[in-house]
Amino acid sequence: MGLILGVDICDDYSQISSYDTVSGDVESITLGGEGAAERIPTVICKKNGCDEWLIGEEAYRNALIGQGTLVDRLVRLAIKNGSATLEGTKYKAEQLMFRFVQKVIGLAGRRYETDEIDSLVFTLHESGPRINDVLIRVAESLNVSREKVHIYTHTECFVYYILSQNSEIWSNQVSMFDLKDNAIYYYELRAIRGRRPVVIEAAREKLPEGFSLSVLDTPAGEKLADSILSSCAERVLAKKTVSSVVLTGKGFETTNWAGEFLNVICNRRRVFQSSQIFAQGAAYAAYDHTLEKSAYPYLFICEGRLASTVSLYAVFDGRREQIVFAQAGTNWYEAGTKASFIVDDIKDVILDVTPVAGNKTLQVSVSLDELPSRPNKTTRIELSVTFSSEKKMVVKIKDCGFGDLFPSSGIVIRGEYFIP
Amino acid sequence: MGNLILSRSPKKSKPFYVEKLGIHLYTAEELSYFIYNNLMLIDENFIDDKLCDFIEEAGYPQLTVKLKKWRDDSTVWELMLVILQDIHYYNSKELETFRDEAIRIAKEGYEGIYKEKADYLSEIGRLYEAIKMYDTLLSSRDIDNNKIKAEIYESKGVALARLFAFEEAKNAFLRGYELSPDERFLEKIYMTHLLDGSVNYPEELVKTALSKEYEPTLKKWNDKYSETEKQIMSEEPLAFIADLKERDTRKKKEGFLKLITDWKSEYKRNQN
């Protein structure tokens, strides 16, 4: 059996976890073997005068002693479609990302003595068309075929992680604090059990009280940080039935300094700390993709997932039927499809956008005025619906003509629409 | 109310070739459209193994089974109706219209349907085939009505004129006039003369027929001819040729080549 991996790639640190199908648990993989830090700085260094590449702390060390050139912020570089010049050679962000991911995944390969990958989920702080495309191509270059790769947001992997724990953990709302350098992210998850399938709603919020983790180097700074976090927790947890609180992020590697904060969050709640929430959540998700039937029969509504179903009504085999183009709860990057239709006496294509929350269906109308005038029912269109985020739908209508009888004009109507 | 019709059949890489029109059909919907709008081109030979294979590949294997099973015991119109019903490209109202038309054709009898079919072939440019059919009709003993015979001569004359056989066209119009004296035949005779000055114009016959009205009628026909000529010059392919004069040499060469290729294929189709 091949590897089942979850890889968290952030601009500061990256992490990798593997799912063990025997124990049914996930295991963190570190750069330095057992006991070593689970966070791998997302940096790459090319050693001078040779084609040797280093990642993580080793990359920093080599750059510091002048034996190589370092490139950091690899995610941002890829989003900007940038490049870096190392020893006179220009490397595209994608090439650097490939070398970095190759090294990270290589850790798992060495650990389990196999290069075969059965399922791979990358998780990002925020996903987007460009970075997603880059990671897909990187995976393909590593011989991981497209259908075995998925890209999820941190919020989605937070959901996978929590739902993989004992259900008592998420019997009520679950809160999570991710303490990073200069940023605090607060996550919430709740299950809406009155619906079928059960809706899992999750959200992420950047709290305004972020601080530099270097303040934890002094007792006064620790006290200040504890106080800031306590007031944050009091505010965000007020009047909520929270069954569990999770702490993650570099700032929570130790919690000795956060006595006041712990007092606030431990009040009638389970509290646990995990440094690899996202990578482990990704590994759970990766395993789920190897199953015929998902172990998570829920409707996910969170960042990265569509909150609405997109459909239209069309005649099929003589009956008027609803054709679903994208189902609510689907990852936006994987959602959408295309289908061919014959235009029968209509001037606009009307797409129904039905949000999970609320009963009101919105209509998106795409005019067909640009298409050439032909006798009725002699225009075939290819309608494709894709997404560039969970809130942005891209509709393309291509004129396919009607065979030799009415050749295609080649016209493509394209529109972008914000959806709830 | 309008609709979108979800297409079951994607564009096929192996299309169905309709020899009579020189076109390929790539989908089941195109097949439906062809059947519905070209009733006159369909006969017993239309349903063959090639058509059945195409329908199967287009996503309708059950329909193929039905056609193969019923092929020997059903009329071509019944089978066409089965195809249209199963593909669902046309709604029930449109199918009703098709059914009525099929029944009408079945009732029309030999000369009615044959003439209509020949006219249709002439209209879509299959002129040789149309002329052959007109000749078959004219030699048939079943037609003893002079007015109908005159109409067939008239249609034949139009087809011949479209083949630039103006002298033969004039003769056909003349024969039509003899069978059923009507001014429209004289007009067509005069027009063949205008189109081709070498056509032997029976001036005395026309003069006698029109008597005092000869001069004003001739003027009216001349005006009509000028107007039609103007109109034709603005239409394809003459407008296309005029447009080619403006283009650069390479494009002009490519354009003419395409035009000639189109004409050649049309000619070959007509010869079949």
Side-chain angles (χ1 to χ4, degrees):
Chain A
M1 177 133 189
L3 298 166
I4 296 169
L5 301 175
V7 180
D8 176 18
I9 297 190
C10 289
D11 252 340
D12 48 2
Y13 292 95
S14 295
Q15 295 181 316
I16 176 166
S17 281
S18 170
Y19 185 89
D20 182 345
T21 51
V22 178
S23 68
D25 214 345
V26 289
E27 188 187 11
S28 300
I29 299 163
T30 61
L31 190 55
E34 255 179 68
E38 292 166 346
R39 289 188 182 80
I40 305 162
T42 311
V43 293
I44 191 161
C45 173
K46 183 187 178 297
K47 280 186 99 173
N48 294 339
C50 61
D51 192 30
E52 194 179 334
W53 297 78
L54 305 165
I55 62 166
E57 297 294 352
E58 204 182 355
Y60 273 131
R61 272 197 299 276
N62 269 269
L64 266 173
I65 57 173
Q67 287 187 352
T69 317
L70 187 96
V71 184
D72 62 359
R73 294 182 178 275
L74 296 179
V75 176
R76 191 178 295 187
L77 198 66
I79 291 170
K80 284 161 64 183
N81 199 19
S83 59
T85 303
L86 308 175
E87 286 193 298
T89 305
K90 194 174 171 183
Y91 294 91
K92 285 184 181 170
E94 188 171 324
Q95 291 172 299
L96 297 171
M97 184 62 89
F98 167 74
R99 287 173 193 275
F100 180 79
V101 172
Q102 187 183 34
K103 290 265 177 193
V104 171
I105 288 180
L107 297 174
R110 277 200 296 280
R111 173 75 175 268
Y112 297 101
E113 295 175 347
T114 177
D115 289 335
E116 198 185 327
I117 295 173
D118 278 352
S119 183
L120 172 62
V121 171
F122 287 110
T123 178
L124 299 162
H125 185 65
E126 273 174 30
S127 59
R130 184 162 281 164
I131 182 69
N132 285 19
D133 291 347
V134 165
L135 289 175
I136 293 290
R137 286 196 295 269
V138 163
E140 281 174 339
S141 305
L142 292 167
N143 296 322
V144 187
S145 55
R146 173 68 189 89
E147 70 277 6
K148 289 181 180 172
V149 189
H150 302 270
I151 300 165
Y152 290 163
T153 61
H154 277 177
T155 315
E156 287 170 282
C157 289
F158 161 63
V159 173
Y160 273 107
Y161 180 87
I162 297 299
L163 297 184
S164 304
Q165 310 304 311
N166 189 323
S167 60
E168 283 175 23
I169 300 277
W170 48 284
S171 58
N172 288 310
Q173 188 175 300
V174 179
S175 295
M176 183 172 85
F177 293 89
D178 179 13
L179 182 57
K180 295 165 92 80
D181 196 19
N182 292 312
I184 309 168
Y185 290 96
Y186 173 68
Y187 292 74
E188 263 185 14
L189 176 150
R190 69 186 181 113
I192 304 168
R193 293 187 166 83
R195 300 179 66 158
R196 283 288 171 272
V198 171
V199 175
I200 304 293
E201 204 174 59
R204 184 189 65 168
E205 179 191 353
K206 186 179 183 184
L207 301 179
E209 293 95 338
F211 52 84
S212 165
L213 294 181
S214 61
V215 300
L216 301 176
D217 293 343
T218 64
E222 284 182 342
K223 204 171 175 186
L224 176 67
D226 190 18
S227 168
I228 290 170
L229 275 178
S230 303
S231 62
C232 281
E234 276 168 359
R235 191 181 74 246
V236 296
L237 300 176
K239 294 180 186 171
K240 285 176 185 166
T241 314
V242 177
S243 47
S244 311
V245 179
V246 184
L247 306 179
T248 193
K250 192 169 189 291
F252 286 130
E253 273 177 348
T254 65
T255 49
N256 303 337
W257 54 272
E260 194 186 336
F261 171 65
L262 288 174
N263 277 341
V264 174
I265 60 169
C266 285
N267 185 16
R268 284 180 295 168
R269 299 175 190 110
R270 286 171 183 234
V271 176
F272 57 99
Q273 188 270 339
S274 174
S275 58
Q276 273 223 331
I277 295 279
F278 304 124
Q280 291 191 356
Y284 283 120
Y287 174 62
D288 197 47
H289 284 297
T290 64
L291 304 177
E292 239 173 66
K293 193 179 171 194
S294 174
Y296 304 86
Y298 313 110
L299 184 64
F300 288 16
I301 301 300
C302 63
E303 185 189 15
R305 300 275 168 146
L306 301 180
S308 302
T309 294
V310 179
S311 64
L312 59 69
Y313 280 90
V315 173
F316 181 64
D317 274 356
R319 291 183 302 275
R320 195 169 149 81
E321 292 188 3
Q322 187 185 24
I323 315 288
V324 175
F325 275 79
Q327 190 79 51
T330 316
N331 176 277
W332 68 263
Y333 191 66
E334 293 168 2
T337 188
K338 61 184 175 185
S340 285
F341 298 93
I342 301 286
V343 179
D344 177 12
D345 195 25
I346 56 164
K347 293 192 183 315
D348 307 277
V349 169
I350 309 284
L351 287 160
D352 290 337
V353 179
T354 312
V356 173
N359 301 319
K360 203 178 173 190
T361 295
L362 307 170
Q363 291 197 321
V364 168
S365 172
V366 187
S367 170
L368 300 177
D369 283 352
E370 281 180 50
L371 298 184
S373 171
R374 299 191 184 113
N376 191 35
K377 294 197 198 180
T378 58
T379 295
R380 176 191 299 277
I381 54 168
E382 185 186 85
L383 173 63
S384 84
V385 173
T386 53
F387 299 86
S388 53
S389 76
E390 65 269 19
K391 297 285 175 205
K392 209 170 182 186
M393 174 172 75
V394 181
V395 180
K396 273 188 207 164
I397 294 176
K398 186 174 154 194
D399 172 32
C400 301
F402 200 65
D404 284 359
L405 297 160
F406 300 95
S408 161
S409 65
I411 290 172
V412 178
I413 299 166
R414 189 182 187 281
E416 289 188 355
Y417 306 88
F418 284 96
I419 58 166
Chain B
M1 191 178 74
N3 265 315
L4 282 175
I5 302 168
L6 181 64
S7 178
R8 185 193 293 190
S9 53
K11 194 168 176 172
K12 291 279 136 200
S13 52
K14 199 179 164 193
F16 177 69
Y17 183 62
V18 183
E19 206 178 336
K20 287 181 177 174
L21 283 184
I23 57 161
H24 292 93
L25 302 176
Y26 297 90
T27 63
E29 289 87 3
E30 288 166 31
L31 175 67
S32 290
Y33 182 85
F34 170 77
I35 292 171
Y36 198 91
N37 292 285
N38 296 278
L39 221 54
M40 289 295 159
L41 290 183
I42 291 161
D43 54 27
E44 284 72 18
N45 301 323
F46 186 68
I47 298 188
D48 57 9
D49 288 344
K50 273 186 192 169
L51 180 73
C52 289
D53 290 348
F54 172 76
I55 290 173
E56 188 170 354
E57 279 177 29
Y60 297 84
Q62 292 301 318
L63 174 56
T64 314
V65 173
K66 280 186 208 173
L67 292 174
K68 284 182 176 172
K69 195 175 163 188
W70 299 341
R71 190 155 55 174
D72 298 332
D73 306 321
S74 310
T75 67
V76 67
W77 309 116
E78 284 167 341
L79 295 175
M80 290 302 112
L81 198 60
V82 170
I83 293 175
L84 295 184
Q85 276 171 341
D86 276 29
I87 292 174
H88 291 286
Y89 175 74
Y90 288 106
N91 60 35
S92 51
K93 204 177 163 188
E94 289 163 323
L95 288 178
E96 199 61 43
T97 311
F98 178 84
R99 197 196 318 264
D100 292 348
E101 182 64 4
I103 291 170
R104 185 191 69 78
I105 289 170
K107 279 183 183 170
E108 278 284 319
Y110 175 72
E111 71 275 16
I113 172 79
Y114 214 71
K115 164 79 164 57
E116 209 172 316
K117 190 167 180 173
D119 286 345
Y120 180 75
L121 289 171
S122 175
E123 195 183 305
I124 61 168
R126 300 200 37 101
L127 301 166
Y128 290 97
E129 206 174 329
I131 292 164
K132 266 185 222 163
M133 288 183 79
Y134 292 131
D135 286 339
T136 310
L137 274 170
L138 290 168
S139 60
S140 162
R141 286 179 186 174
D142 295 346
I143 305 172
D144 51 8
N145 184 321
N146 280 352
K147 204 175 167 194
I148 292 176
K149 268 194 172 178
E151 278 172 13
I152 298 168
Y153 273 113
E154 185 181 12
S155 301
K156 185 186 168 185
V158 170
L160 286 164
R162 288 182 65 193
L163 285 170
F164 305 101
F166 296 114
E167 186 64 41
E168 290 85 345
K170 183 214 75 184
N171 290 338
F173 295 136
L174 202 55
R175 187 78 186 100
Y177 181 76
E178 285 162 8
L179 290 165
S180 173
D182 188 286
E183 194 185 299
R184 72 175 197 280
F185 289 101
L186 300 177
E187 181 185 344
K188 285 191 171 75
I189 289 165
Y190 185 65
M191 289 296 178
T192 54
H193 171 66
L194 288 179
L195 284 162
D196 180 359
S198 68
V199 168
N200 187 13
Y201 170 53
E203 194 176 359
E204 283 311 311
L205 172 79
V206 181
K207 262 187 183 169
T208 316
L210 296 175
S211 64
K212 284 181 189 172
E213 289 300 309
Y214 179 70
E215 290 300 331
T217 306
L218 226 56
K219 188 185 176 304
K220 189 175 81 183
W221 290 346
N222 280 325
D223 291 348
K224 196 174 170 184
Y225 177 80
S226 306
E227 196 56 43
T228 311
E229 193 181 33
K230 260 189 230 165
Q231 205 184 323
I232 288 169
M233 285 305 289
S234 66
E235 285 171 4
E236 295 246 17
L238 294 177
F240 174 69
I241 293 167
D243 182 47
L244 280 177
K245 287 179 189 167
E246 307 299 324
R247 299 191 190 174
D248 64 59
T249 319
R250 190 178 59 82
K251 281 184 180 171
K252 193 175 359 183
K253 200 176 167 186
E254 283 172 4
F256 275 121
L257 211 62
K258 188 187 173 300
L259 189 64
I260 288 165
T261 310
D262 288 349
W263 281 348
K264 267 180 167 173
S265 350
E266 195 183 332
Y267 179 75
K268 274 182 192 163
R269 276 206 310 277
N270 274 318
Q271 293 300 302
N272 289 332

